[in-house]
Amino acid sequence: MSSSHVVAERPVVRRRPTIPAGLAMAGAAITFTALYLAAGALTPLLVFYKERWDFSPSLLALAFAVYAVGFLAAVLTVGSLSDHIGRRPVLIGALVIQIASNLTFLAASSVGWVIAGRIIQGVASGAATAAFTAALVELAAPNRKRLGTILGSVGLTGGLGFGSLLAGLAIQLTPAANSIIFVVLTIVTILGTIVVVLSPETVTRVPGALHSLVPRIAFPPATRREFAAAAPVVAAVWMLAGLSGGLAPSMVRSVFHLNSGLLNGLAGFVAPATSAVVGLTFARVDSRRAMTWGIYASIVGAIGIITGVLGGSLAVMIIGQAIAGVGFGAAFTAALQLIFPLAPPHQRAGVIAGIYLVSYLALGIPVVVAGQLAGPIGEVPAVTSYTALTVVLALASLIAQRRLKRSTYA
């Protein structure tokens, strides 16, 4: 048999066209940020919807909080699916769900549509976050892996902050803010989906996809003391994030009597924006020290929020939110750094799932309770009680951290 005959019988392998890894990383970063721009945009838009359809503060709080339900449902089931079937299929599916969410908000005619859109939005974010975070690192050049991590961190918290600010600006300047925001975000997400389709796959398929869909939360013995010491402040900073996203924008009008979409957006912008900057700054600070500073900042920020609400000063409340954002960036980053390395590699996904469970329950449930209490006892007492609870939780972590530190040096 001649060599030419052998070549003729060899099957032709068709390679899928792909874009360069650097371009794919840039597109992935923009698309990931767009996910959280959409989530952040709802912060002032919820107040806009409330004024348009005249629903209760408790429904507004519920519409904010159900995002956490969708997020947790997705992250606990498909959070590690991309490790088995590849990043691209999971990201494409999540982005299609995100487009459905954007279209739901675009067509919304009542608060029921908004609640449905928020749940769908949470599912999209929960499904995409782990896959995007991993893909950004994997697409980065070998000497630029830290850039991938930074893009993931900034895309999440920065997207939330700037989404709120830009939506507030749109509400302030145009009567068609809802349409403008979600038409633009839908176009960006469609373009991002095309980029993902054309991007190179960064992992090889491995068995176990179905098994990975079973929710697993695990805290190995080596992690339990650190988790117990960090969990109260993790809950506290996520509660303060919930206040900034779910309660503070509506208080601009109901408590401070200012009718301004821009101020609503600013109230939702300041904490996540500060958190994004601080999280990056504290990444190289000693984790135990960063945790302590984060706890103190969350306490001071909470007290500032309470002072602003009780004193009728929006400026003081926003300064308190900014300081609380410092607490979030420092304490949550430190918690991950202190807990995650203690777990064996095969149990780290369960540890991250447990930390997210605490975080998103703290983001969602207390906001709903505060919204329910706003009617019977008043919005100011409800928010004051809510914020005071974060101080108690942060103090509990401070005591636990000091005990850990003493036992380390004993």
Side-chain angles (χ1 to χ4, degrees), residues 57-58 369-383:
S58 61
V369 173
Q372 293 290 334
L373 290 175
I377 69 173
E379 193 167 13
V380 170
V383 171

Side-chain angles (χ1 to χ4, degrees), residues 288-301:
R288 189 74 61 195
R289 181 179 299 176
M291 172 63 78
T292 303
W293 289 352
I295 292 171
Y296 282 128
S298 68
I299 293 170
V300 173

Side-chain angles (χ1 to χ4, degrees), residues 1 14 52 87 103 105 144 152 172 211 213 246 271 273 276 409:
M1 185 181 291
R14 294 180 180 273
R52 175 190 287 183
R87 310 297 182 211
L103 294 176
F105 292 124
R144 305 185 74 185
Q172 188 74 30
H211 188 257
L213 299 177
Y409 291 108

Side-chain angles (χ1 to χ4, degrees), residues 4-294:
S4 61
H5 186 65
V6 172
V7 172
E9 289 186 345
R10 188 173 297 162
V12 177
V13 178
R14 294 180 180 273
R15 292 193 174 185
R16 179 177 58 85
T18 58
I19 58 177
L23 180 59
M25 184 178 75
I30 293 169
T31 310
F32 182 50
T33 303
L35 278 175
Y36 283 95
L37 283 170
L42 265 293
T43 298
L45 278 174
L46 286 174
V47 181
F48 174 76
Y49 297 143
K50 181 177 181 295
E51 293 173 0
R52 175 190 287 183
W53 297 318
D54 193 28
F55 53 84
S56 66
S58 61
L59 270 179
L60 185 146
L62 178 65
F64 171 80
V66 290
Y67 175 86
V69 175
F71 188 97
L72 280 175
V75 82
L76 293 177
T77 53
V78 300
S80 59
L81 182 62
S82 71
D83 291 338
H84 300 273
I85 68 171
R87 310 297 182 211
R88 290 175 60 256
V90 172
L91 290 176
I92 292 167
L95 291 172
V96 169
I97 295 171
Q98 177 69 9
I99 292 167
S101 169
N102 289 344
L103 294 176
T104 302
F105 292 124
L106 196 58
S109 57
S110 69
V111 68
W113 283 75
V114 175
I115 290 172
R118 282 289 279 174
I119 294 172
I120 298 169
Q121 189 180 65
V123 170
S125 298
T129 295
F132 260 129
T133 303
L136 285 168
V137 175
E138 291 158 357
L139 288 167
N143 61 339
R144 305 185 74 185
K145 296 299 182 184
R146 178 172 166 77
L147 175 61
T149 304
I150 290 171
L151 289 173
S153 174
V154 171
L156 195 158
T157 49
L160 286 173
F162 280 100
S164 176
L165 186 64
L166 293 173
L169 188 62
I171 293 168
Q172 188 74 30
L173 298 179
T174 173
N178 188 72
S179 298
I180 291 171
I181 290 164
F182 288 109
V183 166
V184 170
L185 287 172
T186 299
I187 292 170
V188 172
T189 307
I190 290 171
L191 293 175
T193 305
I194 295 170
V195 169
V196 171
V197 168
L198 296 176
S199 295
E201 180 56 74
T202 56
V203 296
T204 304
R205 290 188 176 221
V206 295
L210 287 178
H211 188 257
S212 74
L213 299 177
V214 178
R216 288 187 302 278
I217 297 172
F219 289 101
T223 68
R224 289 171 189 169
R225 289 188 68 195
E226 285 289 358
F227 175 76
V233 74
V234 167
V237 297
W238 279 83
M239 281 180 66
L240 290 170
L243 184 147
S244 289
L247 300 175
S250 66
M251 290 193 297
V252 171
R253 181 167 184 175
S254 60
V255 174
F256 301 106
H257 310 295
L258 298 168
N259 187 13
S260 168
L262 182 57
L263 288 176
N264 292 342
L266 180 63
F269 162 78
V270 64
T274 307
S275 172
V277 174
V278 170
L280 296 174
T281 304
F282 274 70
R284 296 187 178 183
V285 174
D286 174 74
S287 299
R288 189 74 61 195
R289 181 179 299 176
M291 172 63 78
T292 303
W293 289 352

